[in-house]
Every structure is written in C-alpha cells, then in structure tokens.
Amino acid sequence: MENLECKYREYFDIQDGVLVKFNKNNESHVVIPDGVTAIGKCAFLNCTDLTGITIPNSVTSIGHHAFRGCRGLTDITIPNSVTSIGYSAFWACWGLTSVTIPDSVTSIGASTFSKCISLTSITIPDSVTSIGNDAFFDCKSLTSIVIPDSVTSIGTNVFFGCSSLSNITIGNGVTSIGESAFMDCRGLTSITIPNSVTSIGHWAFSNCCGLTVVTIPNSVTSIGVFVFCDCDSLRDITIPDSVTDIGRNAFAGCVAVRSITIPMRFKDRITEIFDSSDNAEIKYI
C-alpha cells in the first residue's frame, strides 16, 4: 500500500488502504483510487464544494461521518463491495436526491441519511435486516419508502420529520416499530401495519395530521403513549383484542374520530386513552 499512499498523497491521506482524509476541500468531483479498502471516519467531513464522488469496488466500508456536511453532494454510487456504512455517514448532505443501497449492506446505521433534505427516493435492498435510530430523520423531500421483509426492526426516530412521505410499505418481517419512528410524517394518509408487528413505540405516528386510516393487526399486543397523538384526521379506529396494553393519551387530539372499536378491558380507561371521544361511537369487544 506504500505506492498507493505516495501516488495520491497530494489529494488523499491513505494509511494501510484506509482513506483517512481528503486534502483538497475545493474539488467538485473526486475519484477515489482503486485499491482503497475503506473510507475512514470523517474523511470528507464538511467538503461543501464536493458535488460527486466515484467509489471503487475495492471499498468495503464507509466510516462514521465520512461524508457528513457535504452539502453540495448530488451524485454518489455505493458499489456492491460495500458491506457496512457507519453512523451519520451522509448526515446533512443537502443536495443528495436519490440513493441506492447495494444488496451487500446488511444494516443502515444511526443517522446515516439524517437531514438529507433533498432526498426524494431511497432503495433499501432485501439484505438489510435493521434500520438504526434517526436513519432518515428530517428527510423532508422523501415521498415513498419500501421497507423489505428482511428488516426486523425500525429504530427510534427513523422517519421523524419526513413531512412529504405519503407512501409507506412496511415489510412482513418487522416485529417492532420504534419510538417516534414516523412522527411528523404529515403527508401520510394511510398505514397498514403487518401481522408480524407486536409492539408500537411511544409517539410512533404522533402528529401525522393527514392520517385518515390505520390498520392495527391482531399480532400487536402493546401500543405506547401518544402513539397517534394529534392525528386530527383519523376517523375510524379499531384496536384488536390482542392488545393488552395501551399507553396514556395514545389517541389524544384525534378530534375527527367518529368510531372506536376497543377491547372491553379498556372501558374504564377510555378517557385516558382518547381525550376527544365525546362525539365518537364506541364499540367494546
């Protein structure tokens, strides 16, 4: 690796195959030399003039914060050789509009694409099994997402603040939806939760003010606090008999609700769960 390190010394600090730092912050397009095996932590941190980058097939990992703050980055192709992407790797890449994650990647780390405010589409392959906390936090332009069946958990705040998100498909492998996972997804009008899900975390769909329809399957046993709080377009709510625990104010602020179907065990807590149920028809099962 000594020759590689010397040959590209003007542009890159390369140590034992790891691109440690990019030395030309004013470059707009960068081609990472073949032979580099990893893009290190903070390697391109705040390279605001960077608009495009070519990553060779020799790279197997992208480190934490690798491209964080590259606000001008619009074009990037992640090769199939990459197996891991560190947390906050593309945090606040404001110009990034679309990303395809290769099927060599098994997990999307925390805050990986957080605050990529121009990101409209993302392709998640069947190889991914987990999506970390804040992975797509505040991706305001993201309109649709398909979570494949391979994913087993959706972390905290994953799609928090994705206000343009209107179409979500949650795969049949997901067993839990984390806290605030879809909070403030104001463009969302309907959601179908698959039969694999057993728990819905606190605030998961809070302030999804466009949500009119939600389907909660018989697999769900617990609904956290404030889960559907301020979903003020939600009209019909059916809670299956499988649910044994509902957090306080789970449906607070659902002022448009007209029909509630809920297990008898929650009769004494109806005003604690719903604070706007006076005009709703309530059916106990």
Side-chain angles (χ1 to χ4, degrees):
M1 285 300 170
E2 184 176 353
N3 291 336
L4 182 67
E5 293 167 11
C6 292
K7 183 177 180 180
Y8 296 100
R9 183 172 294 167
E10 180 183 355
Y11 289 91
F12 308 103
D13 179 4
I14 300 172
Q15 300 176 16
D16 296 324
V18 178
L19 196 164
V20 177
K21 186 172 176 58
F22 177 57
N23 298 323
K24 295 279 188 176
N25 288 352
N26 60 344
E27 295 287 331
S28 61
H29 189 92
V30 173
V31 177
I32 295 175
D34 192 26
V36 169
T37 58
I39 300 172
K41 177 181 178 181
C42 303
F44 292 87
L45 179 68
N46 292 331
C47 290
T48 54
D49 290 333
L50 187 65
T51 59
I53 189 154
T54 301
I55 302 173
N57 287 322
S58 56
V59 172
T60 60
S61 66
I62 298 174
H64 308 317
H65 311 289
F67 297 95
R68 178 173 178 146
C70 293
R71 293 176 294 185
L73 185 64
T74 59
D75 180 33
I76 189 164
T77 300
I78 303 171
N80 287 324
S81 55
V82 172
T83 58
S84 66
I85 302 174
Y87 59 78
S88 299
F90 297 95
W91 190 91
C93 288
W94 293 350
L96 203 59
T97 58
S98 66
V99 174
T100 299
I101 299 171
D103 57 13
S104 51
V105 173
T106 58
S107 65
I108 299 173
S111 302
T112 299
F113 297 98
S114 181
K115 291 189 175 294
C116 290
I117 57 175
S118 298
L119 189 66
T120 59
S121 66
I122 183 86
T123 301
I124 302 174
D126 291 338
S127 57
V128 171
T129 58
S130 65
I131 302 176
N133 298 344
D134 302 283
F136 300 96
F137 176 85
D138 210 27
C139 290
K140 296 180 183 296
S141 300
L142 191 65
T143 57
S144 66
I145 191 80
V146 175
I147 300 170
D149 291 347
S150 56
V151 172
T152 57
S153 63
I154 300 174
T156 300
N157 299 335
V158 170
F159 298 100
F160 188 134
C162 294
S163 54
S164 298
L165 194 61
S166 59
N167 188 13
I168 299 171
T169 301
I170 300 176
N172 291 320
V174 173
T175 59
S176 63
I177 297 173
E179 293 184 11
S180 306
F182 297 95
M183 186 173 179
D184 279 350
C185 290
R186 301 186 177 201
L188 192 63
T189 58
S190 66
I191 184 78
T192 299
I193 299 169
N195 287 321
S196 53
V197 172
T198 59
S199 64
I200 305 173
H202 308 319
W203 301 285
F205 296 94
S206 180
N207 207 31
C208 291
C209 53
L211 193 64
T212 59
V213 179
V214 64
T215 302
I216 302 172
N218 290 323
S219 57
V220 172
T221 58
S222 67
I223 299 173
V225 301
F226 297 99
V227 169
F228 294 96
C229 177
D230 292 331
C231 292
D232 52 18
S233 297
L234 197 59
R235 297 182 64 84
D236 301 306
I237 298 167
T238 299
I239 299 170
D241 193 48
S242 58
V243 175
T244 57
D245 180 49
I246 303 177
R248 60 186 173 82
N249 294 313
F251 295 87
C254 295
V255 293
V257 68
R258 292 295 177 264
S259 172
I260 300 168
T261 301
I262 188 169
M264 180 64 74
R265 67 179 66 91
F266 298 109
K267 185 175 183 178
D268 293 338
R269 295 185 55 219
I270 195 71
T271 56
E272 178 188 338
I273 297 168
F274 298 87
D275 66 350
S276 304
S277 60
D278 291 348
N279 298 319
E281 178 185 349
I282 302 174
K283 178 183 177 182
Y284 294 102
I285 55 174

